[in-house]
Amino acid sequence: MKAAVLVLDGAFDSGVTGVLDVLHTADALRGRLAGATPPPFDIRTVGVRRRVRTGLGHRIDTEDLAAAEDADVLVVPALMERRPEDLVGLVASAGHRKARQAVVRARERRTPLATACTGTFLLAESGVLDGQRATTSWWLAPVFRERYHRVHVDESRMVTTSDGITTAGAAFSHLDLALAIVGTRSPALADLVRRYLVVDDRAAQAAYAIPSALAEHDPLVSAFERWVRERMGEPLSIAEAARALGVSERTLQRTVTRTVGCSPIRLVQNLRVEQAEHLLRTTSLPLAAVARRVGYESPGPLRALLRDRLGRGARSLRG
């Protein structure tokens, strides 16, 4: 398997090294599998310039982009830009035109593409994600959703693949991304690498998301989030919330969905799960009491939500 890793100026350092570490580890461990040995990995670090500087200032020598023309996958590690308001300008800048063109040419050759976190913005800006499903860092999803209307973004996923393009979530999901690439050739080898590197199998980002951080991208959603928190232990009505905020229920539904990618009811559930998790970790309150504090008459619905959103039971959340 020939994997080309396209490293750009300002790349997220651990994104680059995480991908390379996983791929090289896979190549080193492939002979330890029982049965047929997977073919070797040919791993190339390529760039639009022969020497690039990462976000933390480390220099990396790269091969010419021509080395990626016959690659089995082109991986684009994230850029180290944490400010959402500047990220779109960066990926759309003249400085990254050659990178966008390289992505487009790879797509025209039907070369599988892979990226994570802010790298998803670069692929979306190039147009190759139009009409596709993708994920990105959960806290960047509102900005992504606002700019790239033609991409079906699901920030709850850790890794998603759509028509030969694999995307992953926040920065350290580069490990999940690289393991997914290994898994396309040998699921058993990917599992072996996961064990050697002690990387958990994480299917979703939902457990890491902070609802208030998502809500702050829109004044109405932020006001709705505050309204819910002030009434967390009460039965809540979306219609009542809309009246209190001075908008129609339809406007509230549409604005919340556009901003955070879920319905108002689901956002309420997420806020309740967040508060319940905090109480379970920091108090000795029985689960029934925690459930009442977050708006449930009995613990059953809360148990189900904790399993659904966090993948864990109440007992495992106790300190």
Side-chain angles (χ1 to χ4, degrees):
M1 181 181 192
K2 183 174 181 178
V5 181
L6 174 56
V7 183
L8 305 174
D9 278 322
F12 201 91
D13 291 61
S14 64
V16 176
T17 57
V19 168
L20 292 174
D21 282 344
V22 168
L23 295 178
H24 281 284
T25 300
D27 190 50
L29 292 178
R30 62 190 180 83
R32 300 195 180 189
L33 289 177
T37 300
F41 285 75
D42 179 5
I43 304 155
R44 305 292 183 90
T45 303
V46 302
V48 298
R49 296 166 47 188
R50 299 307 297 270
R51 174 171 289 181
V52 299
R53 191 176 293 273
T54 68
L56 293 179
H58 296 101
R59 292 181 300 179
I60 298 178
D61 293 329
T62 66
E63 297 183 56
D64 188 87
L65 276 172
E69 290 182 358
D70 61 342
D72 296 301
V73 62
L74 177 64
V75 188
V76 186
L79 296 167
M80 187 178 281
E81 177 51 76
R82 300 181 179 89
R83 295 164 295 187
E85 63 275 13
D86 294 336
L87 178 57
V88 170
L90 178 63
V91 298
S93 68
H96 286 302
R97 182 182 296 115
K98 289 184 178 180
R100 296 193 302 271
Q101 292 171 344
V103 166
V104 171
R105 288 196 298 271
R107 183 64 172 167
E108 291 171 347
R109 295 191 300 267
R110 301 303 296 174
T111 300
L113 299 169
T115 191
C117 193
T118 58
T120 311
F121 281 71
L122 182 72
L123 266 62
E125 192 66 32
S126 73
V128 301
L129 282 177
D130 288 356
Q132 306 301 326
R133 290 179 294 104
T135 190
T136 188
S137 181
W138 64 263
W139 56 278
L140 291 171
V143 178
F144 188 100
R145 189 175 284 111
E146 182 179 1
R147 180 168 177 85
Y148 306 114
H149 304 289
R150 297 181 179 179
V151 184
H152 308 293
V153 63
D154 179 3
E155 68 274 24
S156 69
R157 304 299 302 166
M158 190 68 74
V159 178
T160 186
T161 299
S162 180
D163 193 27
I165 303 178
T166 302
T167 54
F172 287 104
S173 64
H174 282 88
L175 297 175
D176 305 88
L177 179 73
L179 284 164
I181 293 169
V182 175
T184 63
R185 291 305 171 94
S186 172
L189 180 57
D191 184 61
L192 185 63
V193 173
R194 192 184 299 277
R195 289 171 177 271
Y196 267 83
L197 296 184
V198 195
V199 181
D200 292 335
D201 189 3
R202 305 172 298 171
Q205 292 188 87
Y208 303 93
I210 303 172
S212 58
L214 295 171
E216 68 184 14
H217 287 273
D218 184 274
L220 175 58
V221 181
S222 183
F224 174 64
E225 184 242 350
R226 289 194 301 272
W227 186 90
V228 172
R229 287 190 186 278
E230 290 168 0
R231 298 160 178 80
M232 186 72 75
E234 307 171 13
L236 299 178
S237 162
I238 302 304
E240 180 184 350
R243 286 193 297 271
L245 298 172
V247 298
S248 69
E249 187 174 352
R250 182 180 179 184
T251 295
L252 181 59
Q253 293 270 4
R254 186 172 60 247
T255 306
V256 170
T257 301
R258 183 185 67 239
T259 303
V260 300
C262 69
S263 68
I265 291 175
R266 188 174 179 89
L267 179 56
V268 170
Q269 293 173 338
N270 290 343
L271 291 168
R272 284 174 164 164
V273 166
E274 179 189 63
Q275 180 63 14
E277 182 183 10
H278 171 73
L279 291 172
L280 289 168
R281 290 185 183 279
T282 60
T283 74
S284 58
L285 287 171
L287 183 61
V290 171
R292 288 192 295 271
R293 287 200 181 191
V294 299
Y296 295 107
E297 293 183 358
S298 64
L302 179 59
R303 281 198 187 96
L305 273 177
L306 291 171
R307 285 288 184 189
D308 178 63
R309 305 298 159 82
L310 304 181
R312 303 174 64 182
R315 184 175 300 176
S316 68
L317 293 170
R318 290 294 189 185

